């Protein structure tokens, strides 16, 4: 026994002597200065695969080195809507379908955009829908229902957001309460733009660009090149802030193509979103201190790909529903702090990850 113990001690000494415990250097996770959060509404893996197939070459999605999976159910339903989905990202809590920036008890919760704004970062929202639509609204407004577009528009005056670009002008100036919020925005030093050309003229300061009366048209039906210049304009303006910025960019209509089971609509919206991702990644690569995270709120259409001719052969694609589905959606991350976005997690975890990346704390 004694000999055994001696041998054991000796071997431990020899092993530890030969392999001294390695000093693991304290690596604090990298903190980006800027965060660009991009949401492809209704964008599941099949939607991305369809766009890759139709495009016949690699997409910007393939430039990301870190991938994760987001579980999308809401507090009220196995299948989320866009309001609950975006609110999970913006406030960190799962809530009921239709909720805008409020928890499951309809209590307003501070959003990541509001925390960023309060910490002195520049903030922005860009969407290819009305800017009051569920996804962008969830980052700035607090209303019990996504249907309350005029109340959501009023909430844009409650937060000192620096840049917002999308449609939905009528919710600001053709209101039941008779208020003209465009005047109110102007009084708060927003430069107002009602066309892409006017938007491009703005080179510094605050910008409110409302490019249509209600929704925005589809890419292939009149909207054209809007998302790329809008995202780049937002970055150009927000990047002037020394403390950094938080920007949310939404490809809103991938979802609408899915609801209509219309492959051409869906793919053209996805390729527009991908092109925007490419330009955003170009900026992030050059700037060096920007985290880019791309995800979806849910999948739409239950899309299955059964063949290669996704745009020309109806037998090559199958939609199982005209609604949303419950399947997990991908997360793509690039830049300092990207590693935190790997893995499989609930959608509201993305709030914590975004807050951590920006060095922001809740309750402040
Ligand atoms: Mg949306
Ligand atoms: Zn939808």
């Amino acid at each position: 026994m004694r000999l055994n113990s001696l041998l054991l001690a000796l071997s431990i000494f020899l092993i530890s002597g030969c392999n001294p415990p390695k000093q693991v250097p304290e690596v604090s996770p990298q903190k980006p200065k800027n965060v660009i959060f991009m949401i492809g509404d209704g964008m599941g893996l099949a939607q991305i695969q369809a766009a890759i197939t139709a495009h016949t070459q690699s997409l910007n999605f393939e430039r990301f080195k870190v991938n994760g999976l987001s579980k999308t159910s809401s507090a009220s339903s196995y299948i989320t809507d866009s309001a609950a989905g975006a609110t999970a990202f913006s406030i960190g809590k799962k809530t009921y379908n239709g909720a805008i920036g409020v928890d499951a008890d309809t209590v307003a919760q501070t959003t990541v955009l509001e925390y960023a704004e309060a910490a002195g970062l520049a903030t922005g929202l860009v969407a290819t829908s009305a800017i009051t639509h569920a996804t962008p609204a969830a980052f700035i407004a607090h209303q019990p229902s996504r249907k309350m577009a005029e109340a959501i528009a009023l909430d844009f005056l409650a937060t000192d957001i620096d840049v917002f670009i999308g449609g939905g002008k009528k919710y600001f100036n053709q209101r039941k309460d008779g208020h003209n919020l465009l005047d109110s925005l102007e009084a708060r030093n927003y430069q107002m733009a009602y066309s892409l050309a006017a938007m491009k003229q703005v080179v510094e300061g605050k910008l409110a660009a409302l490019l249509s009366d209600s929704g925005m048209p589809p890419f292939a039906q009149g909207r054209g090149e809007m998302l790329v210049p809008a995202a780049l304009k937002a970055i150009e303006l927000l990047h002037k802030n020394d403390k950094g910025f938080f920007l949310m960019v939404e490809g809103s209509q991938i979802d609408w193509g899915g609801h209509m089971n219309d492959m051409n609509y869906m793919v053209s919206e996805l390729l527009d979103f991908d092109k925007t991702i490419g330009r955003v990644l170009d900026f992030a690569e050059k700037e060096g201190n920007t985290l880019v995270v791309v995800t979806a709120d849910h999948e739409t259409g239950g899309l299955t790909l059964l063949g290669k001719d996704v745009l020309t052969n109806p037998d090559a694609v199958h939609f199982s529903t005209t609604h949303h589905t419950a399947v997990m959606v991908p997360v793509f991350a690039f830049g300092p702090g990207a590693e935190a976005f790997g893995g499989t997690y609930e959608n509201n975890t993305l709030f914590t990850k975004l807050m951590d990346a920006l060095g922001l704390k809740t309750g402040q």
Side-chain angles (χ1 to χ4, degrees):
M1 285 296 280
R2 268 191 204 156
L3 186 62
N4 279 351
S5 305
L6 191 67
L7 282 174
L8 184 65
L10 185 68
S11 49
I12 288 171
F13 170 78
L14 284 173
I15 288 166
S16 58
C18 293
N19 298 301
K22 284 208 179 92
Q23 279 296 112
V24 179
E26 278 279 318
V27 183
S28 56
Q30 280 183 290
K31 293 264 181 253
K33 183 174 162 195
N34 314 307
V35 171
I36 304 174
F37 186 50
M38 304 180 71
I39 301 173
D41 199 315
M43 183 185 74
L45 281 177
Q47 281 76 4
I48 297 170
Q49 176 66 28
I52 289 173
T53 308
H55 194 53
T56 68
Q57 49 185 288
S58 61
L59 294 186
N60 290 295
F61 285 96
E62 295 164 71
R63 291 167 64 182
F64 294 89
K65 299 281 189 291
V66 176
N67 294 105
L69 291 168
S70 167
K71 301 196 273 185
T72 65
S73 70
S74 75
S76 66
S77 174
Y78 184 51
I79 297 176
T80 191
D81 81 326
S82 296
T87 298
F89 302 148
S90 72
I91 72 168
K93 291 177 180 162
K94 289 195 185 254
T95 186
Y96 59 93
N97 287 5
I100 297 292
V102 299
D103 68 13
D105 300 319
T106 70
V107 178
Q109 304 288 319
T110 309
T111 70
V112 57
L113 184 144
E114 291 169 323
Y115 278 119
E117 187 63 44
L121 278 75
T123 58
L125 292 173
V126 173
T128 51
S129 61
I131 202 67
T132 51
H133 208 266
T135 311
F139 287 83
I140 194 163
H142 306 279
Q143 297 298 336
S145 169
R146 61 185 290 167
K147 293 183 185 147
M148 301 165 71
E150 294 186 1
I152 289 167
L154 194 56
D155 281 350
F156 274 76
L157 288 152
T159 299
D160 198 26
I161 184 173
D162 296 274
V163 175
F164 58 95
I165 306 169
K169 187 165 80 173
K170 72 175 182 186
Y171 304 115
F172 292 82
N173 71 346
Q174 296 170 44
R175 301 166 53 86
K176 288 191 194 79
D177 64 12
H179 292 308
N180 186 339
L181 304 186
L182 303 179
D183 292 344
S184 315
L185 287 165
E186 220 168 338
R188 293 180 189 204
N189 293 323
Y190 284 91
Q191 299 163 89
M192 308 302 296
Y194 304 119
S195 68
L196 268 183
M199 178 199 81
K200 286 175 182 168
Q201 299 283 314
V202 177
V203 292
E204 61 186 332
K206 298 203 289 187
L207 167 66
L210 294 164
L211 305 177
S212 70
D213 257 348
S214 51
M216 295 293 295
F219 178 86
Q221 288 169 40
R223 188 177 84 243
E225 291 291 335
M226 172 257 168
L227 189 57
V228 167
L232 293 180
K233 178 54 72 179
I235 290 170
E236 176 195 334
L237 297 176
L238 300 177
H239 190 36
K240 294 184 193 297
N241 186 324
D242 291 338
K243 284 190 172 174
F245 66 81
F246 173 78
L247 170 65
M248 194 289 295
V249 176
E250 187 198 18
S252 314
Q253 299 193 32
I254 300 163
D255 177 61
W256 303 354
H259 281 292
M260 293 175 73
N261 288 185
D262 182 332
M263 281 302 285
N264 280 288
Y265 186 2
M266 196 270 290
V267 166
S268 65
E269 292 298 331
L270 209 141
L271 290 175
D272 184 39
F273 189 53
D274 177 73
K275 197 192 301 175
T276 310
I277 290 169
R279 300 299 294 274
V280 168
L281 285 177
D282 292 345
F283 164 81
E285 277 174 0
K286 210 168 142 205
E287 200 274 339
N289 210 359
T290 300
L291 171 68
V292 181
V293 179
V294 181
T295 190
D297 45 2
H298 52 74
E299 194 270 354
T300 305
L303 177 61
T304 308
L305 304 179
L306 302 165
K308 234 183 157 187
D309 311 323
V310 294
L311 296 183
T312 50
N313 177 7
D315 292 334
V317 297
H318 176 71
F319 286 97
S320 64
T321 177
T322 55
H323 299 291
H324 303 166
T325 68
V327 70
M328 287 190 279
V329 292
V331 181
F332 304 83
F334 173 90
E339 292 71 21
F341 292 81
T344 304
Y345 41 81
E346 294 290 345
N347 57 0
N348 56 318
T349 309
L350 280 162
F351 167 83
T352 315
K353 293 179 187 298
L354 293 172
M355 291 284 287
D356 286 350
L358 288 164
L360 300 172
K361 299 241 182 313
T362 54
Q364 290 179 347

